[in-house]
Amino acid sequence: MPVSRDTLFVSGSDLFALGHYPGNPVYPGALMLDRMLAMAADLAGTTLGQAVHVSAVQRVQYLGVVVPGDMVALEVTIQTRDGDTLTCEAIASVAGDARVRATIVCRSGVVDATAPAVQAVGTSAPALTHQQIARLLPHRYPFLLLDTVTTYRPGEHILATKVVNRESPILGRQPPAAYPATLAIESFGQAGVTLFYLGQTGDGPTHALVGLMRDVTLHRPIPYDTVLTLNVRIDRLRSNMVVFGGHILIGDEPAIDVGSLVVMIAPASSASSAGA
């Protein structure tokens, strides 16, 4: 089977260490997945001899953290081919120990990146401002990827927003043609964790760690200079786990569907093992 390999060198002076998480930096799962998607698309495109796009992420499992000093071996292999649709398996490992596994579906063709019509953004005061969100989440600049919360029902549902532009230093000196889907999914996860904390009373756990993601469908590229609406619901809630599902929208049009995002709830004593 065709295979692609690369190595990621993680340093504590890298940008992610500013906000994910301050004082206890962990390499973001969103950035790791973004690398995997790019490698899968390149490998699939080379195999097919034509342009391809990532259409779905069937499963991502975060098995362990990646921290400063790690050298991460990335390997992507094409597992199956059905016409112009290829399914790839991606693994990120440190010293032979798998930290992330993903199943990625690529299809031929280029998806139109033209921005859909967007409804006017409401001018009423948000339920939570960016500053108030920062009091709930451990993330800080530049990895606090929520701007406002529009409305929420504790323990049930939240609507939040993220303004997308080219100004984030996460995107580097030459931003990609479209906003990375993985960063939009990170915003989705942060909205879900915000919803979880809004339903807690007293001194709740301080760490929520992404463990598993399934059935993610990428409908279209995300253009810059637009507003994402993060529509997140709680599907299951346990003492040590919460499962989110929902959609990422541009106006009324779905950009990404998230079948399930499983977040493990860790006590404050687990700070040293905070994950993606």
Side-chain angles (χ1 to χ4, degrees):
M1 289 289 183
V3 61
S4 174
R5 295 184 178 90
D6 198 1
T7 303
L8 169 66
F9 298 86
V10 179
S11 170
S13 62
D14 292 347
L15 186 65
F16 77 87
L18 287 173
H20 199 272
Y21 301 94
N24 183 33
V26 173
Y27 193 78
L31 297 187
M32 188 73 70
L33 180 59
D34 192 55
R35 285 214 172 208
M36 290 175 160
L37 297 189
M39 289 177 66
D42 286 346
L43 181 61
T46 299
T47 302
L48 292 176
Q50 57 184 301
V52 303
H53 65 278
V54 175
S55 61
V57 181
Q58 293 179 345
R59 176 186 174 96
V60 182
Q61 189 174 14
Y62 294 98
L63 303 167
V65 298
V66 173
V67 297
D70 283 344
M71 291 181 290
V72 185
L74 298 163
E75 181 174 291
V76 178
T77 305
I78 294 176
Q79 296 295 304
T80 63
R81 176 174 178 176
D82 183 7
D84 291 340
T85 299
L86 301 178
T87 300
C88 301
E89 295 296 326
I91 301 175
S93 304
V94 176
D97 181 25
R99 303 297 171 87
V100 184
R101 292 180 180 270
T103 304
I104 301 162
V105 179
C106 299
R107 291 195 171 98
S108 64
V110 177
V111 180
D112 181 15
T114 304
V118 178
Q119 290 185 334
V121 178
T123 57
S124 58
L128 292 176
T129 64
H130 184 76
Q131 185 178 24
Q132 290 170 322
I133 293 168
R135 296 187 189 126
L136 292 170
L137 295 178
H139 306 75
R140 291 295 177 266
Y141 174 85
F143 271 91
L144 180 57
L145 299 181
L146 282 184
D147 288 321
T148 69
V149 170
T150 305
T151 184
Y152 66 92
R153 293 191 300 273
E156 296 182 23
H157 178 258
I158 193 169
L159 284 177
T161 67
K162 174 69 178 80
V163 175
V164 168
N165 59 30
R166 291 179 172 84
E167 300 305 314
S168 173
I170 302 172
L171 301 174
R173 295 179 180 177
Q174 295 182 324
Y179 188 74
T182 54
L183 293 183
I185 295 169
E186 172 70 19
S187 294
F188 179 94
Q190 290 185 18
V193 173
T194 297
L195 174 61
F196 170 78
Y197 283 125
L198 287 168
Q200 300 304 296
T201 58
D203 295 328
T206 60
H207 295 284
L209 319 177
V210 175
L212 180 69
M213 186 165 57
R214 294 176 185 263
D215 301 326
V216 176
T217 302
L218 310 180
H219 292 290
R220 53 166 297 112
I222 298 173
Y224 293 104
D225 301 321
T226 190
V227 178
L228 299 179
T229 296
L230 310 158
N231 186 340
V232 187
R233 66 181 184 272
I234 290 179
D235 288 335
R236 188 182 308 170
L237 181 60
R238 298 287 185 268
S239 60
N240 66 340
M241 178 190 74
V242 59
V243 181
F244 303 107
H247 313 277
I248 301 172
L249 308 169
I250 302 174
D252 290 330
E253 181 175 327
I256 301 174
D257 294 332
V258 179
S260 65
L261 178 65
V262 180
V263 174
M264 308 308 295
I265 306 304
S269 59
S270 298
S272 63
S273 60

